[in-house]
Amino acid sequence: MTNPLFQFNQVERLILSNVSFNLNEEDRLVIFGPSGSGKSTLLHLFNRMDDPEKGDINFRGDSINQFSIPQLRKQVGLVLQQPYLFQGMVEDNLRFGPDLFQEWDEQLAYRLLDYVNLPNDFISKSVDELSGGEQQRVSLARTLANKPDVLLLDEPTSALDDQNIAAIENDLIDLIERRHLTVVLVTHSMDQAKRIGTKGLYLEEGEIIEQGSIEELLEEPNTPELQAFLNRS
């Protein structure tokens, strides 16, 4: 039996308390719960945007601390809620990560734009010319430029309109399937959780209340806490 890709063992950080779970290759884990329950704090532990105060996190069978932060973030990429792009051209953003590892290839730029359904001529556009949906696509492409195995998504469509949400979700699902990515998604949308996720982890006040199949969690919750949350959502 293969080892889990990630193992969280009794992890504590800020509001998080005694968080333990495994993430396997090609899982699509949705982290959800009320505001302030620790969702983003947990997500940021995966690529050391933050570190635990207690407990252990293992990646590929070794302590996450054994990996340099650049190497870890190359393998475990993060797409934020707001697309914080660097000033300059789209190409400047796409080549930033690969340049750190001397891996930039001009043809990669066009493949990345294709991945996120943007035309080739966007390569020379200024980021200031882009719409919100286009900026989020470039942000996703910039993360994909490092060829990560794990994609961390922190409410990546919450700032977009319905049309852009549907388009980016479709692109994400296609990418995940084509590239066999492992995904960890924080979302407030239970419809999005159902569309993208295969597994779920429900947090409340920093503790895991339920975890398992996302479909079962949303359709047949076992705890009063999750039942009450779904009734409110």
Side-chain angles (χ1 to χ4, degrees), residues 100-112:
L100 294 177
F101 299 94
Q102 292 79 52
E103 293 178 355
W104 179 246
D105 169 2
E106 197 166 316
Q107 291 306 307
L108 176 60
Y110 300 114
R111 291 200 298 276
L112 291 167

Side-chain angles (χ1 to χ4, degrees), residues 13-78:
R13 173 64 183 166
L14 301 175
I15 193 173
L16 296 176
S17 176
N18 196 31
V19 170
S20 298
F21 66 95
N22 292 342
L23 181 75
N24 296 318
E25 298 271 5
E26 297 189 41
D27 278 350
R28 302 184 203 174
L29 176 68
V30 179
I31 301 172
F32 65 106
S35 296
S37 58
K39 301 184 296 295
S40 292
T41 300
L42 177 54
L43 189 74
H44 292 166
L45 294 173
F46 278 92
N47 73 345
R48 297 195 62 195
M49 292 284 286
D50 210 344
D51 287 319
E53 296 160 347
K54 292 183 180 179
D56 303 303
I57 303 173
N58 291 337
F59 177 55
R60 300 193 187 281
D62 293 316
S63 169
I64 200 171
N65 297 322
Q66 298 298 311
F67 297 83
S68 72
I69 288 177
Q71 281 291 348
L72 180 67
R73 292 180 185 168
K74 184 176 189 295
Q75 296 178 69
V76 185
L78 173 64

Side-chain angles (χ1 to χ4, degrees), residues 8 16 19-23 28-34 37-39 42-43 46 184-187 190 193 198-204 206-214 217-218 226 229:
F8 280 63
L16 296 176
V19 170
S20 298
F21 66 95
N22 292 342
L23 181 75
R28 302 184 203 174
L29 176 68
V30 179
I31 301 172
F32 65 106
S37 58
K39 301 184 296 295
L42 177 54
L43 189 74
F46 278 92
V184 185
L185 167 68
V186 168
T187 184
M190 296 303 94
T198 57
K199 290 187 175 181
L201 191 156
Y202 175 66
L203 281 179
E204 198 166 293
E207 296 187 357
I208 297 176
I209 304 300
E210 282 197 53
Q211 59 180 306
S213 156
I214 189 66
L217 291 182
L218 298 182
L226 180 52
F229 173 80

